[in-house]
Amino acid sequence: MVLITGGAGYIGTHTLIELAKDNIDFIVYDNLYNSSKEALKRVEQIIGKKITFIKGDIRDIDSLKKLFNSYKIDSVIHFAGLKAVGESVAKPLKYYDNNINGTIKLLEVMSQFNCKKIIFSSSATVYGDPKIVPISEDSQVGVGLTNPYGKSKYFIEEILKDLYSSDNEWKIVILRYFNPIGAHESGLIGEDPNDIPNNLMPYITQVAVGKLDRLSIFGDDYNTHDGTGVRDYIHVVDLANGHLKALKILDKINKVEEINLGTGKGYSVLDVVKAFEKASEKRVNYKIAKRREGDIAKCYANPTKAKKLLNWEAKKDLEQMCKDSWRWQSQNPNGYSN
Ligand code: NAD
Ligand code: WQD
């Protein structure tokens, strides 16, 4: 049985579907801080079976022990974490406590129960402002990180490597996600930000659905083809499938493997706006605003390691990502709280 921490969230829910399609047994553990039971109900609707869900926090050792005592957990996919970059600058201790302390507690309990297989959700943010794009896994990490969220991911990667050095029985895969967007094709699940979205795609979809007035494009004077920032947008279903593929190789690895999950293609903010307008047949009102602090010009993956090691590659293009994001948003203007 695979334990999915943070399994009620955006990437977690999509991953549950990929696991279910492959008949893999899982249990979801989530404190529902940034998600809802409704999301899991929708997954149940899609996969046609009940999900075992335990509400709990990864910092709660007793609750984790109870969980490991009650279920035969063989490996963990660890999504649980806070991810709002801006909030992490304002509340660093909250982020370090939740993400780092939470991960340490989880690893301690896993050790106690001799469960030593983990897939960790890291981020392309650990590369900072990369010297070369596309970014391969052996690029420098941890330098020039501008916010506690990104640093928490980098620190956890280091902790995992130290843990492996101390005990080679551990099987650890670090997945570095680029920019996940899109939603399951059913339109039943998707990204549901609590507040005004920080990320580009949910902001665009909320403008298109009439919840927000206008998108601010953060800078048009970057060294990119049209001056706006370039990122590697990856369909969340492709990303979710990468976890299934990682799970399959977990037993075979004999070092900590860091793997980029991206498409290898970079699109600018304006490229995304245009692609979204075409896919949704909606106009997206926007203005050019000043650069956002901490942003970089270009970030996209060299995904060849994932192809080689996991036999995985992203299949869905930007048009599909935009269509699916729009289907989710237009069918659920208020997310899960309809
Ligand atoms: P999300 O907020 O939708 O999901 C995270 C889930 O973890 C939520 O359901 C939340 O309730 C839960 N959680 C948070 N803290 C917890 C705790 N202490 N105990 C138990 N549950 C807790 O985010 P997501 O987009 O699905 O991201 C999943 C993971 O991937 C996160 O670790 C995130 O940092 C990482 N990641 C996300 C992106 C992205 O752009 N979405 C990019 C790179 C990495
Ligand atoms: C994408 C592009 C913005 C909003 C962040 C985190 C990273 C990972 C993914 C994880 C940039 C521009 C955005 C808007 C805009 N997170 N933009 N107007 O910054 O690449 O990565 O999310 O958990 O760790 O740092 O993603 O979607 O915020 O921005 O012009 O209102 O869109 O400047 O060029 P980012 P993003």
Side-chain angles (χ1 to χ4, degrees), residues 23-64:
N23 289 318
I24 293 175
D25 273 343
F26 57 78
I27 170 166
V28 174
Y29 186 79
D30 195 304
N31 64 2
L32 300 182
Y33 179 83
N34 196 37
S35 51
S36 64
K37 272 199 178 155
E38 177 61 22
L40 293 173
K41 274 196 203 148
R42 304 268 183 106
V43 176
E44 287 177 339
Q45 200 179 325
I46 294 166
I47 66 177
K49 63 178 180 202
K50 282 265 166 228
I51 291 172
T52 312
F53 168 64
I54 307 290
K55 185 174 176 195
D57 195 295
I58 50 167
R59 291 164 297 180
D60 183 344
I61 289 246
D62 291 338
S63 166
L64 283 176

Side-chain angles (χ1 to χ4, degrees), residues 36 47 49 68 73 88 147 163 181 192 201 215 222 224 226 228 237 242 251 257 291:
S36 64
I47 66 177
K49 63 178 180 202
F68 276 82
I73 295 168
S88 81
N147 61 79
L163 181 63
I181 60 172
D192 183 18
M201 185 52 86
L215 170 73
Y222 285 105
T224 63
D226 61 18
T228 66
V237 171
D251 277 327
E257 294 286 3
R291 289 182 178 194

Side-chain angles (χ1 to χ4, degrees), residues 5-12 29-35 56-59 78-83 98-99 120-124 149 153 177-180 191 199:
T5 75
Y10 172 48
I11 303 169
Y29 186 79
D30 195 304
N31 64 2
L32 300 182
Y33 179 83
N34 196 37
S35 51
D57 195 295
I58 50 167
R59 291 164 297 180
H78 177 32
F79 292 110
L82 301 177
K83 62 165 182 177
N98 194 83
N99 293 3
F120 172 62
S121 300
S122 190
S123 167
Y149 166 72
K153 292 291 175 192
Y177 312 155
F178 281 69
N179 289 58
E191 190 169 9
N199 295 111

